[in-house]
Amino acid sequence: MTRELAVNCYSYIWKLSTYDTIAHIADMGYRGMELMVNWPHLWPSDLGTEGRRRVRRLLEERAMRILSLAPPMLDLNLVSPAPEMRRYTLDHYIAVIRLAAEWNVPWVVVVPGKTHPLLPLPDHYRDRWFDDALLELDRVAEIEGIEITVENVPNSFLPHAEHLMERLALIGNDRIGITYDVANAVFAGEDPAQGLEVVAPRLRFVHLSDTGVKVWAHAKVGTGVVPFDRIGDALERIGFEGPSTMEIISDRPDEDILASHAALSRFGWNAPPKR
């Protein structure tokens, strides 16, 4: 099985607009991408009707496909003790879901949220707020014809594969998937090959980058300790046929994305595009 690789646009969020990023990634030879919902790069309320149509036309002209919209979690928190913050986070995700539907994007990534490290809120509040939030988001997503996926993030309250699967099983909604980030897993102390097997029934797509264990990174493949050979073997074992996305954060994104792609091609992913 040869797995296809797409590009996450994290490195471009302060450099290029959504429109220019799509054109740039297409010029690099890619046809699949993941956009980060981060102002000024991409912000639903700033786009306007014509801005949305312009992006949709570009996607059609360049034969590009956006696989996912992913709002970073820094200013969002589905389990905040502040009701206004939880409501803002939900409304923002709903705006992103509706934008995804306009652009025929199949997935929106949701981060579980975070609790205070010194005195976390009681579990029964946290779990109820999170469960209710996911069910509300899924109702909107189902109407719009897309899916939400929950990502494993080290500083969220569900950092590990087992935690995610247990929580989603209790929610009881089979539509909700998982985006599994291998660098996040390693930094959280989890074996990503084992984690992929745990989340296999809900796995929608995979984020690929490298990291160490002391400093959290999404670096060029080969510069950290992520075991990509074992990750490739695990994806083969579970028969995963969905997309993988290189989520590289770099000052030299073009160079490091292509170098990462070349490295990953040794472990079962397709060869880098010819430019």
Side-chain angles (χ1 to χ4, degrees), residues 30 40 75-76 80 82 93 102 121 124 131 160 180 250 266:
Y30 291 95
D75 297 317
L76 302 172
S80 169
Y93 273 122
E102 287 188 45
L121 74 158
H124 67 275
D131 295 357
H160 299 123
Y180 193 78
S250 167
R266 299 196 296 270

Side-chain angles (χ1 to χ4, degrees), residues 173-191:
N173 187 329
D174 292 337
R175 274 180 38 86
I176 300 172
I178 287 176
T179 295
Y180 193 78
D181 187 303
V182 300
N184 288 352
V186 167
F187 189 72
E190 178 168 272
D191 181 334

